[in-house]
Amino acid sequence: MEEALPKKPRPTFWDLIFAARTVAWEAYKSKPISHWILLLLSGGLMLTAFPASSLLSRVYYTNGGKSKWIISWVAVAGWPLTALILIPTYFICKVSPTPLNLKLVISYLVLGFLSAADNLMYAYAYAYLPASTSSLLASSSLVFSALFGYLFVKNKLTMSMINGVVIITAAMVIIALDSNSDRYGNVTNSQYIMGFMWDILGSALHGLIFALSELVFIKYLGRRSFHVVLEQQVMVSSFAFVLTTIGVALNHDFQEMANEAKSFKGGKSSYYLVMIWGAITFQLGVLGGTAVLFLSSTVLAGVLNAVRVPLTSIAAVILLKDPMSGFKILSLVITFWGFGSYIYGSANVSTETS
């Protein structure tokens, strides 16, 4: 009878840390320094511009704004900013614009439609929820990024990543059970529930957009040069802008902007500053997210998108005086735990595939 082979000992925590460090060093050496500089800048944009745009959206509603269509229109009105960055890139990098074909145009149109719908869903969330609560709920986008990344891009999932998904879902349930502690006095129960549901649905759509954007890079654009990131962002945002503009026009909200500006707390100048900076910060945040997808993967984009949640929550409490109950603090701690578990699982995937 053959002797049973001895079982390999399970790797210790420090073994995994050492392996992850080795993988990280090998990955670092495999790319030029420009790649890591762009990735660092892109991640920085996600972690600063997105929270800023979230806070500005809440400021709009707190100071007298009412329209969901206007704030979703502002989210895509900054698309010419990316176009201004793109045009010089062709001359600096000595590249030609990517030829458009039917599949690529349809992909941009679908992503533009989904982005417009996503912005409108988040507008409802900002209208009825404190910024800290809406950002905590938005952490569920990591759950959907993992799911859609697995289904469409074949990204791997480990038990630690699944555990992180379950933990973050539990944190969302805690917020739902503590809804009375942070509901604004002028917001009804039905409006709060509507904001809660639209936030979750918007997060799901956000995760889907991440996965589909990476799929477009893989199937139609490739990872040839950074200019394709800017091209995709310009096309998707411009399509979303056109679709949202139609919605604003049909809802007669352009006429209401002048009335809102007159009654806005702080006056017209404050109103238009919120609009302008909201457009700039959101566009920079989306550009950063798209760049992270191109330079890395849906996994890293989902992680960074989720990491901005505690940053937004803390900033909302400090700057906007958002209520922070014990249950919300517990939810924030649990969300951190879920992030840690997910990142740990992502590191294991990198170690196994190296």
Side-chain angles (χ1 to χ4, degrees):
M1 185 175 179
E2 294 184 1
E3 293 183 7
L5 293 174
K7 290 184 178 180
K8 292 180 67 175
R10 289 177 62 85
T12 65
F13 174 77
W14 292 112
D15 289 336
L16 292 173
I17 291 294
F18 179 78
R21 187 180 67 177
T22 302
V23 170
W25 177 246
E26 292 299 325
Y28 172 77
K29 291 193 297 182
S30 68
K31 301 285 186 180
I33 188 66
S34 59
H35 172 93
W36 300 111
I37 292 173
L38 284 172
L39 185 59
L40 183 64
L41 290 174
S42 302
L45 280 179
M46 285 190 72
L47 296 179
T48 54
F50 265 143
S53 68
S54 298
L55 296 179
L56 287 167
S57 296
R58 185 57 241 173
V59 167
Y60 165 79
Y61 289 113
T62 300
N63 290 6
K66 295 180 175 62
S67 173
K68 283 77 176 177
W69 276 105
I70 285 177
I71 206 66
S72 60
W73 179 79
V74 166
V76 288
W79 72 267
L81 177 64
T82 307
L84 290 174
I85 300 172
L86 170 64
I87 294 170
T89 305
Y90 291 130
F91 300 99
I92 295 171
C93 299
K94 297 180 181 179
V95 292
S96 301
T98 302
L100 291 175
N101 55 49
L102 183 60
K103 289 183 178 179
L104 197 54
V105 171
I106 291 174
S107 298
Y108 288 150
L109 185 58
V110 169
L111 286 171
F113 173 78
L114 293 178
S115 296
D118 190 43
N119 294 333
L120 188 58
M121 290 177 185
Y122 276 134
Y124 274 92
Y126 292 130
Y128 300 136
L129 302 176
S132 56
T133 301
S134 61
S135 65
L136 278 170
L137 291 173
S139 66
S140 60
S141 64
L142 179 59
V143 175
F144 298 107
S145 292
L147 175 62
F148 292 125
Y150 174 77
L151 292 176
F152 295 117
V153 196
K154 307 305 179 185
N155 288 331
K156 289 187 177 181
L157 283 175
T158 66
M159 285 306 299
S160 291
M161 296 169 75
I162 294 171
N163 181 58
V165 165
V166 172
I167 291 170
I168 292 171
T169 303
M172 303 306 100
V173 174
I174 290 174
I175 293 178
L177 295 174
D178 189 42
S179 59
N180 288 329
S181 70
D182 66 349
R183 182 164 56 87
Y184 292 125
N186 62 337
V187 174
T188 65
N189 283 330
S190 60
Q191 287 175 330
Y192 186 94
I193 293 170
M194 184 186 298
F196 192 99
M197 296 306 298
W198 281 124
D199 207 334
I200 297 295
L201 289 173
S203 299
L205 200 52
H206 206 68
L208 178 61
I209 291 168
F210 269 158
L212 292 180
S213 295
E214 186 176 7
L215 193 62
V216 170
F217 281 132
I218 293 171
K219 292 193 69 174
Y220 302 129
L221 293 173
R223 301 184 188 273
R224 296 175 289 112
S225 175
F226 191 76
H227 77 281
V228 298
V229 174
L230 301 173
E231 287 179 338
Q232 189 194 70
Q233 185 56 35
V234 168
M235 295 300 295
V236 171
S237 293
S238 58
F239 276 134
F241 176 76
V242 171
L243 293 169
T244 307
T245 300
I246 293 171
V248 174
L250 292 176
N251 206 46
H252 306 291
D253 277 352
F254 281 125
Q255 296 90 322
E256 289 299 314
M257 288 184 74
N259 296 328
E260 282 190 347
K262 289 178 184 177
S263 59
F264 197 74
K265 185 178 178 180
K268 289 184 179 180
S269 59
S270 296
Y271 181 82
Y272 290 115
L273 279 175
V274 169
M275 297 291 104
I276 292 168
W277 280 109
I280 292 172
T281 54
F282 191 89
Q283 192 65 205
L284 290 177
V286 174
L287 177 59
T290 308
V292 169
L293 283 173
F294 172 81
L295 296 166
S296 182
S297 68
T298 302
V299 172
L300 182 59
V303 169
L304 290 178
N305 193 51
V307 168
R308 72 182 172 91
V309 169
L311 299 178
T312 308
S313 297
I314 293 168
V317 171
I318 295 172
L319 299 176
L320 304 182
K321 310 301 180 186
D322 269 11
M324 182 60 81
S325 67
F327 277 104
K328 195 185 287 187
I329 293 172
L330 176 62
S331 177
L332 183 60
V333 171
I334 290 175
T335 302
F336 265 120
W337 180 16
F339 291 162
S341 180
Y342 191 92
I343 294 168
Y344 177 76
S346 301
N348 282 350
V349 169
S350 299
T351 303
E352 290 169 6
T353 55
S354 62

